[in-house]
Amino acid sequence: MRKFLLSSVMVVLAGSGLVLAQDSSPSTPPAAGDSEIAAPQALPAHPVPVVAPAPTPPPGDGLPPPQSLLVPPPLGSPPPPPLASPLFADAALDGFATRFWLSADYLLWWLKSNPLPALVTSGSPNDAVPGALGQPGTQVLFGGDVDNTIRSGARFRGGYWFTRDQSFGWDGTFFFVGGRSDHFGAASNGVPILTRPFFNVNSNQEDANIIAFPGQQTGAIVAAVNSRLWGADTNLRGMLFRGASYQVSLLGGFRFLDLHEALGMKEMDTILPQSAGGDFVSVTTADHFRTSNQFYGGQIGTDVMWCRGRFFVDVLAKVALGTSVQRAGIDGWTSFATTAGQSGTIGAGQLALPSNIGDYGKNQFAVVPEFGLNLGYAVTQHIRLTFGYTFLFWSRVFRPGDQIDRVINTSEFPALVGAGTLKGPPRPDFTFKSSDFWAQGLNFGLEFRY
């Protein structure tokens, strides 16, 4: 500004000097000989002004100095601020840029069948011990693998990324498989022969209790096996790797599982009179075996998602280490009545006797891995459809069939009513037998992301 003012003043002074000189000079020019210096030529009426350089604005006026777009910023300058658009703008319609998600799955799952010993048989009257295992005419009617049909359930998942770049977050899952009962029933007026097989510890051979036999006894037996499974887990998530179309997350948290199963049998018999005028005797016998298992443990895992356009693949793998809390309960009863008016009840069945009746518990170390594969399609930026498969394994559980001891001391029956004493080992017994368990199946889901 100072240079500009000084230049303007010089221009104004120069113009004023020229005007004064013209006013004070004579109208007739002097002769050439009067002076050795020639008279100066007259300046034009409108002198050309001198253009000064553009002033530099003082610092602090808020205007940056002009800079060419082609010139890079100097070294050491701070990086430009981040863009407002999401980092994963093309991954399954901004799926990698969402912060919150919630999903619901319909489950079609199979549970590992409940293994049972042979509990009801039919036999031939020509066999030495009709209905006993190993006899030529014996056929198993109830036993083996049961409760292995498909069942429905549901699973709910949700999560939230605490950070916008999906580097740290939380998720949780809850699922259940609907309870189911498998039923068995058989009745006979004596033909065919119905029996309940066992191993006789007194004779050291296979034997059988009669349900129905020609001319001696009619009867029926019903049985039911039921189970239900549910569980939940919660995890913290941390981003391990990510790219424009994939991301890999690490998981760490807590898992809980609950499995309840039960086996119940009820036998209704009518013992026919063996002589004229004899009494009919009605006998009802029940045996119950129930188990419960709860798992508590820490969990780690990984979740890998890969996207291409609107389609995506999600692979989930988790493993939990912890404690399996196992409980079992056994009870039974028998009631009888005669046409003569006698009746009574005792606290024992046929497989549930005083030697094994009771409640038992044990805690064991267990491992629970889970694997899931889901295929999905992004209908909109916020809604996705999924289809997948899940496999869940549990290393140690109590199951009802494993708690049945087929070895029976037959002297325990008369000892119950005071008609004798127990001879030999007290059997059946309880031995804390564990086995593994799995659940697997398909899932169809709807997911919301925001």
Side-chain angles (χ1 to χ4, degrees), residues 189-190 210-219 270-274 280-281:
N189 60 1
I210 294 176
I211 301 174
F213 194 86
Q216 296 183 11
Q217 185 171 317
T218 64
T270 300
I271 301 174
L272 305 178
Q274 300 302 304
F280 288 86
V281 180

Side-chain angles (χ1 to χ4, degrees), residues 394-406:
W394 193 343
S395 63
R396 292 178 184 270
V397 297
F398 276 177
R399 309 205 72 184
D402 294 332
Q403 315 315 315
I404 298 176
D405 185 6
R406 292 185 60 255

Side-chain angles (χ1 to χ4, degrees), residues 154-426:
R155 179 174 58 197
F156 304 95
R157 286 175 172 169
Y160 180 74
W161 289 106
F162 299 124
T163 57
R164 181 182 177 276
D165 61 353
Q166 298 186 348
S167 60
F168 182 66
W170 167 89
D171 70 57
T173 302
F174 170 81
F175 79 95
F176 69 89
V177 179
R180 183 180 177 86
S181 296
D182 278 13
H183 298 273
F184 167 82
S188 174
N189 60 1
V191 179
I193 295 174
L194 294 179
T195 60
R196 297 178 66 175
F198 67 94
F199 185 86
N200 193 326
V201 71
N202 302 100
S203 63
N204 198 32
Q205 65 180 7
E206 291 290 341
D207 205 339
N209 283 324
I210 294 176
I211 301 174
F213 194 86
Q216 296 183 11
Q217 185 171 317
T218 64
I221 185 170
V222 293
V225 179
N226 58 74
S227 63
R228 69 177 187 270
L229 171 69
W230 69 277
D233 68 343
T234 180
N235 302 279
L236 292 177
R237 280 177 170 259
M239 184 67 65
L240 185 61
F241 306 109
R242 62 185 177 187
S245 61
Y246 71 92
Q247 65 178 15
V248 181
S249 302
L250 288 181
L251 309 176
F254 175 81
R255 175 184 278 281
F256 172 80
L257 290 175
D258 183 277
L259 173 66
H260 275 73
E261 296 181 295
L263 165 66
M265 293 176 289
K266 189 175 182 180
E267 178 185 341
M268 294 78 67
D269 304 323
T270 300
I271 301 174
L272 305 178
Q274 300 302 304
S275 61
D279 294 333
F280 288 86
V281 180
S282 298
V283 181
T284 301
T285 304
D287 296 291
H288 297 283
F289 297 83
R290 61 187 182 276
T291 60
S292 66
N293 302 270
Q294 288 85 36
F295 174 82
Y296 305 86
Q299 179 174 257
I300 58 173
T302 182
D303 187 4
V304 181
M305 181 179 290
W306 177 81
C307 300
R308 187 177 182 88
R310 289 177 177 252
F311 294 92
F312 65 92
V313 179
D314 188 10
V315 180
L316 180 66
K318 297 183 284 189
V319 59
L321 308 176
T323 300
S324 186
V325 180
Q326 303 165 320
R327 299 290 182 265
I330 302 174
D331 63 80
W333 54 269
T334 300
S335 65
F336 67 94
T338 68
T339 53
Q342 298 177 333
S343 62
T345 301
I346 59 176
Q350 289 198 23
L351 293 174
L353 297 174
S355 56
N356 68 335
I357 287 177
D359 294 320
Y360 307 90
K362 189 176 184 180
N363 298 345
Q364 296 192 83
F365 173 78
V367 181
V368 178
E370 178 186 354
F371 171 80
L373 173 64
N374 283 285
L375 308 177
Y377 179 77
V379 181
T380 69
Q381 185 179 7
H382 303 296
I383 298 177
R384 296 177 169 193
L385 300 177
T386 59
F387 166 75
Y389 167 81
T390 302
F391 179 83
L392 179 68
F393 180 81
W394 193 343
S395 63
R396 292 178 184 270
V397 297
F398 276 177
R399 309 205 72 184
D402 294 332
Q403 315 315 315
I404 298 176
D405 185 6
R406 292 185 60 255
V407 180
I408 295 178
N409 187 335
T410 55
S411 67
E412 194 166 354
F413 294 118
L416 292 173
V417 293
T421 58
L422 179 65
K423 298 177 181 180

